[in-house]
Amino acid sequence: MAGIEEREFCFPDCIHLSQRYRCDILRVAQCVGEGCAFRQSETEYRLAYERWQKAISALSCEQRGKIVSKYYGGKMPHVMQEKK
Ligand code: SF4
């Protein structure tokens, strides 16, 4: 049976992997591994978030309003508020 050190070595660098080697976002018995389409490292997550913020800030107020009403129940999330 594999020890904890060996198990850590086998699992991918993914922010969704819990400390108990379970996936926090998918309904799978155990982590799918490197081939998982949802695997995301800390750096990948940060870069994706920055791209998302850039895309949101490029939208008009009207377009943002449509997104807010459809996905956020009409309440503007902090990250989508205009910077002053
Ligand atoms: S690699 Fe896939 S299955 Fe494993 S923790 Fe990440 S998202 Fe979940």
Side-chain angles (χ1 to χ4, degrees):
M1 187 168 179
I4 290 177
E5 295 80 21
E6 192 173 334
R7 288 170 53 191
E8 285 179 12
F9 180 75
C10 295
F11 286 98
D13 176 20
C14 180
I15 58 169
H16 306 298
L17 186 64
S18 75
Q19 290 182 338
R20 293 180 172 217
Y21 303 100
R22 299 283 175 120
C23 180
D24 285 339
I25 61 167
L26 301 176
R27 288 186 186 178
V28 290
Q30 67 180 56
C31 175
V32 176
E34 287 292 335
C36 179
F38 297 93
R39 184 184 65 77
Q40 196 170 36
S41 70
E42 185 77 38
T43 303
E44 289 169 334
Y45 174 80
R46 186 176 46 77
L47 292 174
Y49 184 74
E50 287 172 4
R51 280 196 305 271
W52 176 80
Q53 279 190 317
K54 194 173 180 181
I56 290 295
S57 65
L59 296 175
S60 68
C61 284
E62 183 184 4
Q63 289 171 316
R64 270 188 240 175
K66 287 180 181 174
I67 292 172
V68 166
S69 65
K70 183 168 186 174
Y71 297 105
Y72 297 98
K75 187 176 178 187
M76 181 73 78
H78 175 70
V79 292
M80 288 181 68
Q81 292 176 3
E82 289 204 36
K83 293 176 183 158
K84 295 177 184 172

XYZ file of all heavy atoms in Angstrom:
693
model
N 0.854 -1.188 0.000
C 0.000 0.000 0.000
C 0.894 1.243 0.000
O 1.884 1.320 0.700
C -0.899 -0.036 1.227
C -1.926 1.047 1.212
S -3.161 0.711 2.495
C -4.177 2.109 2.261
N 0.521 2.215 -0.795
C 1.331 3.413 -0.951
C 1.267 4.292 0.293
O 0.203 4.471 0.877
C 0.842 4.218 -2.164
N 2.440 4.839 0.692
C 2.488 5.760 1.815
C 2.016 7.136 1.383
O 1.801 7.393 0.197
N 1.846 8.034 2.345
C 1.353 9.382 2.033
C 2.307 10.112 1.092
O 1.872 10.734 0.131
C 1.150 10.186 3.336
C -0.040 9.612 4.082
C 0.913 11.665 3.027
C -0.314 10.253 5.408
N 3.642 9.969 1.335
C 4.602 10.664 0.476
C 4.458 10.198 -0.969
O 4.486 11.000 -1.892
C 6.038 10.421 0.948
C 6.360 10.981 2.310
C 5.854 10.091 3.453
O 5.615 8.895 3.233
O 5.677 10.592 4.537
N 4.278 8.903 -1.151
C 4.138 8.361 -2.497
C 2.840 8.833 -3.140
O 2.793 9.169 -4.309
C 4.178 6.836 -2.444
C 4.340 6.197 -3.805
C 4.542 4.699 -3.683
O 5.022 4.245 -2.637
O 4.205 4.013 -4.632
N 1.762 8.894 -2.355
C 0.475 9.348 -2.875
C 0.554 10.809 -3.289
O 0.029 11.197 -4.317
C -0.618 9.152 -1.833
C -0.974 7.696 -1.657
C -1.866 7.458 -0.494
N -3.058 8.291 -0.507
C -3.878 8.392 0.521
N -3.645 7.713 1.615
N -4.934 9.143 0.457
N 1.228 11.650 -2.485
C 1.364 13.059 -2.829
C 2.087 13.209 -4.150
O 1.764 14.054 -4.962
C 2.124 13.805 -1.741
C 1.295 14.058 -0.511
C 2.069 14.769 0.570
O 3.166 15.254 0.299
O 1.564 14.807 1.694
N 3.093 12.361 -4.366
C 3.876 12.421 -5.590
C 3.022 12.097 -6.810
O 3.201 12.653 -7.875
C 5.063 11.448 -5.482
C 5.916 11.448 -6.689
C 6.790 12.502 -6.936
C 5.851 10.415 -7.600
C 7.572 12.513 -8.056
C 6.633 10.420 -8.732
C 7.498 11.474 -8.964
N 2.048 11.215 -6.653
C 1.233 10.766 -7.774
C 0.125 11.752 -8.150
O -0.386 11.699 -9.257
C 0.590 9.422 -7.457
S 1.775 8.109 -7.250
N -0.264 12.629 -7.270
C -1.379 13.512 -7.550
C -0.903 14.791 -8.232
O 0.194 15.275 -7.982
C -2.131 13.850 -6.262
C -2.968 12.694 -5.781
C -2.506 11.849 -4.803
C -4.210 12.462 -6.340
C -3.275 10.783 -4.374
C -4.987 11.403 -5.926
C -4.518 10.555 -4.943
N -1.738 15.347 -9.087
C -1.345 16.538 -9.844
C -1.370 17.809 -8.993
O -1.971 17.834 -7.920
C -2.412 16.609 -10.943
C -3.613 15.995 -10.328
C -3.095 14.902 -9.432
N -0.733 18.842 -9.524
C -0.755 20.160 -8.900
C -2.098 20.797 -9.251
O -2.275 21.344 -10.337
C 0.409 20.996 -9.447
C 0.394 22.415 -8.921
O -0.250 22.669 -7.884
O 1.033 23.275 -9.556
N -3.047 20.677 -8.350
C -4.403 21.170 -8.632
C -4.973 21.830 -7.376
O -4.926 21.246 -6.298
C -5.294 20.006 -9.064
S -6.985 20.523 -9.425
N -5.547 23.014 -7.547
C -6.102 23.739 -6.401
C -7.378 23.097 -5.883
O -7.823 23.405 -4.791
C -6.380 25.217 -6.734
C -7.354 25.330 -7.907
C -5.088 25.970 -7.011
C -7.878 26.728 -8.120
N -7.972 22.194 -6.663
C -9.219 21.542 -6.257
C -8.984 20.250 -5.483
O -9.938 19.609 -5.050
C -10.092 21.265 -7.475
C -10.341 22.479 -8.310
N -10.993 23.583 -7.825
C -9.987 22.784 -9.578
C -11.049 24.510 -8.767
N -10.439 24.045 -9.838
N -7.737 19.871 -5.319
C -7.414 18.650 -4.586
C -7.388 18.954 -3.088
O -6.650 19.817 -2.634
C -6.046 18.121 -5.049
C -5.607 16.779 -4.497
C -6.558 15.674 -4.966
C -4.191 16.466 -4.964
N -8.227 18.242 -2.344
C -8.308 18.504 -0.905
C -7.134 17.845 -0.169
O -6.386 17.059 -0.753
C -9.623 17.974 -0.347
O -9.569 16.563 -0.249
N -6.997 18.151 1.098
C -5.937 17.557 1.898
C -6.170 16.061 2.105
O -5.268 15.342 2.482
C -5.842 18.258 3.248
C -5.313 19.666 3.116
C -5.177 20.359 4.459
O -5.815 19.981 5.429
N -4.336 21.379 4.487
N -7.379 15.602 1.851
C -7.689 14.176 1.965
C -7.638 13.485 0.609
O -8.225 12.428 0.420
C -9.062 13.990 2.601
C -9.095 14.433 4.026
C -10.468 14.219 4.605
N -10.403 14.477 6.039
C -11.076 13.801 6.924
N -11.872 12.832 6.537
N -10.973 14.069 8.202
N -7.008 14.132 -0.352
C -6.847 13.588 -1.705
C -8.182 13.354 -2.390
O -8.356 12.427 -3.156
C -6.010 12.299 -1.683
C -4.667 12.520 -1.058
C -4.433 12.149 0.266
C -3.650 13.141 -1.762
C -3.213 12.384 0.860
C -2.423 13.379 -1.178
C -2.218 12.998 0.127
O -0.999 13.243 0.716
N -9.131 14.190 -2.106
C -10.438 14.151 -2.760
C -10.580 15.397 -3.618
O -9.979 16.426 -3.347
C -11.571 14.137 -1.723
C -11.558 12.965 -0.796
C -12.094 11.752 -1.508
N -11.972 10.574 -0.666
C -12.993 9.841 -0.272
N -14.202 10.194 -0.617
N -12.800 8.790 0.466
N -11.422 15.282 -4.615
C -11.676 16.414 -5.485
C -12.798 17.263 -4.886
O -13.845 16.738 -4.525
C -12.071 15.922 -6.878
S -12.403 17.283 -8.012
N -12.566 18.573 -4.827
C -13.557 19.477 -4.248
C -14.651 19.876 -5.231
O -15.664 20.445 -4.831
C -12.870 20.756 -3.745
C -12.105 20.527 -2.465
O -12.402 19.554 -1.750
O -11.188 21.325 -2.183
N -14.462 19.630 -6.521
C -15.450 20.118 -7.490
C -16.131 19.030 -8.307
O -17.198 19.238 -8.839
C -14.838 21.160 -8.451
C -13.686 20.554 -9.251
C -14.394 22.408 -7.689
C -13.254 21.430 -10.414
N -15.502 17.861 -8.439
C -16.086 16.802 -9.255
C -16.583 15.664 -8.371
O -16.017 15.408 -7.315
C -15.046 16.251 -10.241
C -14.431 17.251 -11.219
C -13.365 16.560 -12.055
C -15.488 17.871 -12.106
N -17.612 14.980 -8.832
C -18.122 13.807 -8.106
C -17.386 12.565 -8.607
O -17.894 11.809 -9.429
C -19.616 13.657 -8.328
C -20.407 14.708 -7.614
C -21.874 14.429 -7.758
N -22.626 15.527 -7.177
C -23.929 15.603 -7.184
N -24.638 14.658 -7.762
N -24.533 16.624 -6.635
N -16.174 12.398 -8.143
C -15.353 11.245 -8.506
C -14.849 10.601 -7.219
O -14.675 11.271 -6.197
C -14.162 11.652 -9.404
C -14.642 12.074 -10.787
C -13.334 12.763 -8.780
N -14.614 9.291 -7.277
C -14.151 8.574 -6.089
C -12.767 9.042 -5.662
O -12.458 9.123 -4.477
C -14.145 7.076 -6.358
N -11.929 9.313 -6.641
C -10.601 9.857 -6.340
C -10.158 10.730 -7.502
O -10.764 10.700 -8.574
C -9.599 8.742 -6.084
C -9.275 7.890 -7.293
C -8.266 6.814 -6.953
O -8.491 6.025 -6.042
N -7.182 6.796 -7.673
N -9.130 11.497 -7.276
C -8.625 12.434 -8.282
C -8.328 11.702 -9.594
O -7.756 10.620 -9.599
C -7.374 13.113 -7.752
S -6.578 14.191 -8.950
N -8.728 12.319 -10.691
C -8.529 11.737 -12.018
C -7.054 11.755 -12.415
O -6.598 10.893 -13.150
C -9.391 12.496 -13.055
C -9.140 11.997 -14.454
C -10.856 12.381 -12.690
N -6.327 12.737 -11.943
C -4.892 12.810 -12.230
C -4.553 13.853 -13.282
O -5.355 14.716 -13.612
N -3.337 13.754 -13.817
C -2.813 14.757 -14.756
C -3.705 14.953 -15.979
O -3.732 16.015 -16.564
C -1.404 14.369 -15.202
C -0.336 14.560 -14.147
C -0.082 16.025 -13.816
O -0.345 16.901 -14.671
O 0.375 16.286 -12.701
N -4.405 13.924 -16.395
C -5.233 14.018 -17.595
C -6.570 14.713 -17.377
O -7.338 14.873 -18.312
N -6.841 15.140 -16.180
C -8.127 15.762 -15.864
C -8.275 17.114 -16.572
O -7.379 17.954 -16.503
C -8.243 15.959 -14.354
S -9.796 16.736 -13.882
N -9.408 17.305 -17.229
C -9.663 18.541 -17.964
C -9.912 19.717 -17.016
O -9.829 20.877 -17.428
C -10.852 18.353 -18.893
N -10.214 19.448 -15.760
C -10.516 20.505 -14.792
C -9.336 20.833 -13.882
O -9.443 21.683 -13.010
C -11.725 20.104 -13.946
C -12.969 19.956 -14.753
C -13.342 18.720 -15.270
C -13.764 21.051 -15.036
C -14.484 18.578 -16.042
C -14.917 20.924 -15.803
C -15.269 19.684 -16.310
N -8.220 20.149 -14.075
C -7.021 20.395 -13.253
C -6.572 21.843 -13.438
O -6.558 22.366 -14.541
C -5.888 19.454 -13.670
C -4.648 19.580 -12.819
C -3.540 18.712 -13.342
N -3.073 19.131 -14.658
C -2.271 20.166 -14.883
N -1.824 20.885 -13.889
N -1.912 20.482 -16.104
N -6.246 22.490 -12.334
C -5.852 23.897 -12.395
C -4.847 24.184 -11.286
O -5.159 24.034 -10.107
C -7.093 24.778 -12.234
C -6.908 26.197 -12.654
C -8.221 26.949 -12.690
O -9.107 26.731 -11.867
N -8.343 27.852 -13.637
N -3.664 24.612 -11.693
C -2.654 24.973 -10.694
C -2.970 26.363 -10.145
O -3.793 27.094 -10.701
C -1.259 24.961 -11.327
O -1.135 26.048 -12.218
N -2.286 26.721 -9.082
C -2.472 28.049 -8.479
C -2.184 29.152 -9.507
O -2.929 30.118 -9.618
C -1.533 28.189 -7.277
C -1.708 29.458 -6.484
C -2.923 29.420 -5.578
O -3.194 28.354 -5.013
O -3.581 30.459 -5.443
N -1.123 28.988 -10.269
C -0.742 29.981 -11.278
C -1.793 30.060 -12.381
O -2.183 31.157 -12.804
C 0.626 29.612 -11.894
O 1.576 29.520 -10.848
C 1.071 30.643 -12.904
N -2.266 28.902 -12.844
C -3.304 28.893 -13.884
C -4.572 29.577 -13.382
O -5.216 30.318 -14.123
C -3.612 27.449 -14.305
C -2.498 26.806 -15.089
C -2.695 25.310 -15.263
O -3.368 24.671 -14.420
O -2.148 24.774 -16.239
N -4.916 29.312 -12.126
C -6.106 29.936 -11.549
C -5.947 31.459 -11.504
O -6.845 32.202 -11.900
C -6.354 29.400 -10.141
C -7.487 30.101 -9.439
C -8.809 29.768 -9.714
C -7.231 31.123 -8.523
C -9.847 30.424 -9.097
C -8.263 31.795 -7.904
C -9.565 31.442 -8.186
O -10.585 32.116 -7.582
N -4.779 31.908 -11.044
C -4.533 33.353 -10.938
C -4.583 34.019 -12.313
O -5.196 35.077 -12.493
C -3.178 33.597 -10.270
C -2.890 35.057 -9.970
C -1.582 35.235 -9.221
N -0.473 34.483 -9.773
C 0.210 34.816 -10.862
N -0.108 35.894 -11.521
N 1.212 34.072 -11.288
N -3.960 33.401 -13.318
C -3.962 33.965 -14.662
C -5.369 33.996 -15.255
O -5.756 34.964 -15.907
C -3.022 33.160 -15.572
C -1.534 33.285 -15.241
C -0.717 32.341 -16.113
C -1.059 34.720 -15.423
N -6.144 32.931 -15.021
C -7.524 32.896 -15.516
C -8.361 33.986 -14.844
O -9.181 34.648 -15.497
C -8.139 31.521 -15.266
N -8.132 34.191 -13.548
C -8.867 35.226 -12.821
C -8.522 36.613 -13.362
O -9.394 37.466 -13.543
C -8.546 35.137 -11.329
C -9.321 36.105 -10.485
C -10.669 35.900 -10.212
C -8.708 37.243 -9.966
C -11.381 36.790 -9.447
C -9.413 38.145 -9.195
C -10.746 37.917 -8.934
O -11.448 38.815 -8.187
N -7.244 36.836 -13.647
C -6.819 38.126 -14.202
C -7.435 38.350 -15.582
O -7.867 39.460 -15.906
C -5.286 38.204 -14.271
C -4.650 38.373 -12.903
C -3.136 38.257 -12.940
O -2.554 38.127 -14.031
O -2.530 38.270 -11.849
N -7.488 37.296 -16.408
C -8.118 37.407 -17.736
C -9.597 37.724 -17.588
O -10.153 38.540 -18.327
C -7.947 36.106 -18.531
C -6.590 35.953 -19.179
C -6.613 34.863 -20.241
N -7.087 33.588 -19.754
C -6.325 32.650 -19.214
N -5.038 32.851 -19.094
N -6.841 31.521 -18.801
N -10.242 37.083 -16.608
C -11.663 37.313 -16.386
C -11.900 38.760 -15.961
O -12.801 39.433 -16.467
C -12.177 36.348 -15.318
C -13.607 36.563 -14.947
C -14.704 36.132 -15.624
C -14.096 37.292 -13.817
N -15.845 36.538 -14.979
C -15.499 37.251 -13.865
C -13.480 37.970 -12.767
C -16.288 37.863 -12.915
C -14.278 38.582 -11.816
C -15.667 38.520 -11.894
N -11.072 39.256 -15.043
C -11.221 40.640 -14.594
C -11.020 41.618 -15.744
O -11.739 42.602 -15.866
C -10.209 40.948 -13.492
C -10.637 40.469 -12.129
C -9.732 41.002 -11.053
O -8.519 41.009 -11.216
N -10.313 41.434 -9.966
N -10.047 41.335 -16.603
C -9.778 42.201 -17.746
C -10.979 42.192 -18.699
O -11.384 43.236 -19.209
C -8.517 41.704 -18.465
C -7.923 42.663 -19.437
C -6.593 42.109 -19.943
C -5.967 43.066 -20.932
N -4.700 42.567 -21.449
N -11.542 41.023 -18.949
C -12.700 40.904 -19.841
C -13.909 41.633 -19.260
O -14.620 42.341 -19.986
C -13.028 39.435 -20.083
N -14.122 41.493 -17.973
C -15.254 42.160 -17.320
C -15.101 43.675 -17.378
O -16.053 44.398 -17.671
C -15.385 41.692 -15.845
C -15.865 40.248 -15.776
C -16.309 42.608 -15.043
C -17.268 40.016 -16.296
N -13.890 44.150 -17.143
C -13.687 45.604 -17.131
C -13.827 46.202 -18.528
O -14.038 47.403 -18.668
C -12.327 45.952 -16.520
O -11.297 45.453 -17.326
N -13.695 45.382 -19.573
C -13.839 45.875 -20.944
C -15.304 45.995 -21.356
O -15.616 46.613 -22.368
C -13.092 44.949 -21.900
N -16.215 45.413 -20.571
C -17.638 45.459 -20.910
C -18.248 46.815 -20.552
O -17.772 47.509 -19.657
C -18.386 44.365 -20.147
C -18.023 42.915 -20.459
C -18.775 41.984 -19.524
C -18.329 42.590 -21.905
N -19.313 47.139 -21.246
C -20.039 48.375 -20.923
C -20.864 48.141 -19.655
O -21.089 46.995 -19.242
C -20.972 48.749 -22.079
O -22.011 47.804 -22.176
N -21.352 49.223 -19.074
C -22.196 49.108 -17.875
C -23.451 48.295 -18.167
O -23.894 47.502 -17.335
C -22.581 50.499 -17.375
S -21.242 51.329 -16.528
N -24.014 48.484 -19.347
C -25.223 47.757 -19.729
C -24.945 46.252 -19.796
O -25.724 45.437 -19.292
C -25.735 48.269 -21.072
C -27.032 47.613 -21.506
C -27.466 48.070 -22.888
O -26.733 48.829 -23.544
O -28.541 47.639 -23.317
N -23.827 45.883 -20.425
C -23.476 44.465 -20.541
C -23.225 43.858 -19.159
O -23.634 42.738 -18.873
C -22.233 44.300 -21.418
C -22.495 44.583 -22.886
C -21.223 44.628 -23.697
O -20.223 45.221 -23.289
N -21.251 43.986 -24.865
N -22.538 44.605 -18.314
C -22.287 44.115 -16.937
C -23.597 43.934 -16.187
O -23.778 42.972 -15.452
C -21.406 45.107 -16.175
C -19.956 44.822 -16.332
C -19.165 45.694 -15.425
N -18.282 46.484 -16.274
C -17.498 47.428 -15.860
N -17.480 47.777 -14.603
N -16.705 48.054 -16.690
N -24.509 44.895 -16.389
C -25.809 44.808 -15.729
C -26.573 43.538 -16.121
O -27.198 42.894 -15.277
N -26.483 43.175 -17.405
C -27.154 41.949 -17.865
C -26.550 40.722 -17.191
O -27.265 39.804 -16.783
C -27.032 41.826 -19.384
C -27.898 42.785 -20.143
C -27.726 42.619 -21.637
C -28.575 43.609 -22.398
N -28.327 43.555 -23.855
N -25.230 40.692 -17.085
C -24.550 39.556 -16.441
C -24.918 39.480 -14.969
O -25.227 38.417 -14.437
C -23.022 39.665 -16.621
C -22.663 39.461 -18.089
C -22.285 38.651 -15.741
C -21.213 39.737 -18.415
N -24.922 40.633 -14.319
C -25.236 40.680 -12.888
C -26.658 40.197 -12.621
O -26.895 39.403 -11.702
C -25.025 42.114 -12.338
C -25.653 42.269 -10.971
C -23.554 42.435 -12.277
N -27.601 40.639 -13.465
C -28.993 40.217 -13.226
C -29.193 38.734 -13.524
O -29.984 38.073 -12.862
C -29.962 41.076 -14.049
O -29.758 40.854 -15.413
N -28.455 38.212 -14.509
C -28.640 36.807 -14.876
C -27.919 35.855 -13.917
O -28.454 34.815 -13.538
C -28.139 36.576 -16.304
C -28.372 35.160 -16.792
C -28.151 35.040 -18.264
C -28.526 33.641 -18.736
N -28.462 33.506 -20.177
N -26.689 36.190 -13.533
C -25.875 35.231 -12.771
C -25.679 35.580 -11.290
O -25.243 34.746 -10.517
C -24.493 35.070 -13.419
C -24.580 34.509 -14.815
C -24.386 35.323 -15.924
C -24.881 33.169 -15.026
C -24.470 34.808 -17.209
C -24.977 32.641 -16.299
C -24.763 33.472 -17.390
O -24.861 32.964 -18.650
N -25.934 36.813 -10.907
C -25.655 37.215 -9.526
C -26.902 37.743 -8.813
O -26.795 38.454 -7.824
C -24.536 38.263 -9.491
C -23.217 37.733 -10.004
C -22.818 37.969 -11.318
C -22.385 36.982 -9.184
C -21.618 37.470 -11.797
C -21.177 36.485 -9.650
C -20.810 36.735 -10.962
O -19.618 36.238 -11.429
N -28.069 37.420 -9.316
C -29.307 37.812 -8.659
C -29.483 39.314 -8.547
O -30.162 39.794 -7.643
N -28.885 40.069 -9.462
C -29.038 41.521 -9.468
C -28.120 42.254 -8.507
O -28.123 43.477 -8.460
N -27.342 41.537 -7.738
C -26.443 42.184 -6.777
C -25.020 42.175 -7.338
O -24.435 41.106 -7.561
C -26.484 41.449 -5.446
C -25.718 42.152 -4.351
C -25.868 41.440 -3.041
C -25.048 42.152 -1.976
N -25.025 41.441 -0.734
N -24.474 43.360 -7.560
C -23.152 43.490 -8.170
C -22.062 42.948 -7.239
O -21.872 43.451 -6.140
C -22.870 44.967 -8.462
C -21.548 45.242 -9.122
S -21.477 44.764 -10.841
C -22.358 46.086 -11.628
N -21.348 41.897 -7.681
C -20.261 41.395 -6.836
C -19.111 42.401 -6.771
O -18.913 43.176 -7.707
C -19.830 40.109 -7.527
C -20.391 40.158 -8.884
C -21.514 41.140 -8.887
N -18.390 42.379 -5.710
C -17.307 43.333 -5.485
C -16.306 43.350 -6.640
O -15.861 44.405 -7.067
C -16.585 43.004 -4.178
C -15.400 43.852 -3.912
N -15.500 45.180 -3.596
C -14.077 43.572 -3.971
C -14.293 45.680 -3.446
N -13.406 44.720 -3.668
N -15.979 42.183 -7.155
C -14.958 42.103 -8.203
C -15.420 42.726 -9.512
O -14.605 43.021 -10.375
C -14.518 40.647 -8.467
C -13.763 40.093 -7.287
C -15.702 39.775 -8.822
N -16.723 42.939 -9.674
C -17.222 43.527 -10.914
C -17.508 45.018 -10.783
O -17.896 45.658 -11.752
C -18.501 42.803 -11.365
C -18.220 41.431 -11.891
S -19.701 40.575 -12.441
C -20.178 41.532 -13.866
N -17.332 45.559 -9.603
C -17.595 46.977 -9.422
C -16.480 47.781 -10.071
O -15.332 47.375 -10.087
C -17.697 47.306 -7.945
C -18.927 46.682 -7.325
C -19.000 46.900 -5.833
O -18.153 47.569 -5.264
N -20.001 46.320 -5.225
N -16.874 48.933 -10.612
C -15.902 49.776 -11.304
C -14.901 50.350 -10.322
O -15.237 50.720 -9.208
C -16.630 50.915 -12.011
C -17.407 50.411 -13.188
C -17.634 51.506 -14.211
O -16.737 52.346 -14.407
O -18.715 51.516 -14.794
N -13.645 50.384 -10.782
C -12.607 50.998 -9.958
C -12.675 52.509 -10.126
O -12.909 53.016 -11.210
C -11.234 50.487 -10.398
C -11.060 49.031 -10.103
C -9.744 48.535 -10.618
C -9.655 47.048 -10.368
N -8.716 46.391 -11.230
N -12.498 53.206 -9.013
C -12.561 54.672 -9.058
C -11.175 55.271 -9.114
O -10.224 54.710 -8.739
C -13.313 55.183 -7.846
C -14.761 54.748 -7.868
C -15.484 55.191 -6.631
C -16.910 54.645 -6.665
N -17.610 54.864 -5.442
S -7.138 17.079 -11.143
Fe -9.326 16.990 -11.582
S -10.110 15.335 -10.284
Fe -8.109 15.919 -9.487
S -8.565 17.417 -7.896
Fe -8.159 18.553 -9.786
S -10.156 18.867 -10.697
Fe -10.374 17.261 -9.182
